[in-house]
Amino acid sequence: DIVMTQSPVSLPVTPGEPASISCRSSQSLLYSNGHNYLDWYRQKPGQSPQLLIYLGSNRASGVPGRFSASGSGTDFTLKISRVEAEDVGIYYCMQALETPYTFGQGTKLEI
Amino acid sequence: QVQLQESGPGLVKPSQTLSLTCTVSGGSISSTTYYWSWVRQPAGRGLEWIGRIYTTGSTNYNPSLKGRVTISLDTSKNQFALQLSSVTAADTAVYYCAREDGIGISFGLDVWGQGSSVTVAS
């Protein structure tokens, strides 16, 4: 299985400040079609996970522009340009290159 | 707008079979552009992908579940189901059903149910 590793585990942030989460995979997620099969999800307290980013850098429908993602191969980053209070939750990366899909252990963003 | 809703027993005895159903509304489970998936989350822990099914009945499962999992479709009811046999306390979790957009290319798990909490205990 592809192992996904996120850092940091916990991320204290101040509203209005930027935040960044790192995700590394044990093997390249770059497919022959040029896409990186890496998603980002956010799980707010008491809620189901929500898709933020797919194929490495594409914002899902309805996701605010302050969220961006980058990276290729085995190293990926999710960035929030200016954190808002509603952004609290646990952020997960997930590889969708091959089954079984695997998630990172999560990064808890705290205000 | 597509919505997913899990249903099933909240308590299952050890060694028995956990059975959950996900009802799809606002869209057809027979669509050729989606997979229908299950993901679980033990209390206070991370997410684990269980498996998925396509409209043809083709499935992919997580080998970590050692052949105990079966995912099936009921197109007449627009539902898909999860069965996990020989359960133990380690299978206690919130179980989510989700839709994966894209075949041959994944656009992510874009729609999720609200989750169904299952406890394995005697």
Side-chain angles (χ1 to χ4, degrees):
Chain A
D1 297 0
I2 298 175
V3 177
M4 306 299 292
T5 304
Q6 290 181 231
S7 61
V9 173
S10 177
L11 182 58
V13 295
T14 301
E17 294 298 307
S20 180
I21 300 171
S22 174
C23 175
R24 285 189 171 180
S25 56
S26 60
Q27 65 187 71
S28 177
L29 303 183
L30 180 61
Y31 192 54
S32 56
N33 59 11
H35 293 290
N36 286 280
Y37 281 50
L38 187 283
D39 302 332
W40 288 95
Y41 298 85
R42 175 182 63 195
Q43 186 174 31
K44 292 184 177 181
Q47 295 187 16
S48 306
Q50 173 196 4
L51 177 67
L52 297 175
I53 302 287
Y54 62 92
L55 292 175
S57 61
N58 297 274
R59 275 193 305 275
S61 176
V63 175
R66 63 180 182 276
F67 289 90
S68 65
S70 62
S72 185
T74 61
D75 290 297
F76 300 90
T77 303
L78 175 70
K79 293 182 179 178
I80 309 173
S81 59
R82 290 177 299 279
V83 171
E84 298 187 4
E86 66 174 21
D87 296 334
V88 294
I90 302 176
Y91 290 75
Y92 296 94
C93 59
M94 185 196 86
Q95 66 81 17
L97 181 68
E98 61 183 40
T99 62
Y101 291 169
T102 47
F103 293 87
Q105 78 275 28
T107 295
K108 187 173 186 179
L109 190 146
E110 302 172 298
I111 301 292
Chain B
Q1 183 172 346
V2 174
Q3 292 184 313
L4 306 182
Q5 175 77 52
E6 304 91 347
S7 59
L11 180 64
V12 180
K13 288 182 167 52
S15 80
Q16 294 191 341
T17 296
L18 177 161
S19 296
L20 294 172
T21 297
C22 183
T23 301
V24 180
S25 58
S28 173
I29 203 167
S30 298
S31 171
T32 57
T33 57
Y34 303 112
Y35 285 105
W36 304 97
S37 307
W38 288 95
V39 175
R40 71 179 181 178
Q41 184 174 37
R45 298 180 61 182
L47 300 164
E48 179 181 29
W49 185 85
I50 297 172
R52 67 183 183 183
I53 190 166
Y54 184 56
T55 185
T56 59
S58 173
T59 54
N60 300 104
Y61 298 134
N62 194 326
S64 70
L65 295 169
K66 297 181 175 63
R68 297 188 294 127
V69 62
T70 302
I71 299 175
S72 58
L73 284 173
D74 186 337
T75 54
S76 66
K77 295 181 179 178
N78 219 34
Q79 295 175 336
F80 64 106
L82 169 70
Q83 289 192 308
L84 184 64
S85 63
S86 305
V87 297
T88 69
D91 296 309
T92 295
V94 174
Y95 286 76
Y96 297 99
C97 58
R99 185 184 79 173
E100 180 185 356
D101 187 7
I103 305 298
I105 183 168
S106 179
F107 299 115
L109 298 166
D110 65 338
V111 181
W112 293 67
Q114 88 287 353
S116 180
S117 180
V118 179
T119 300
V120 178
S122 53

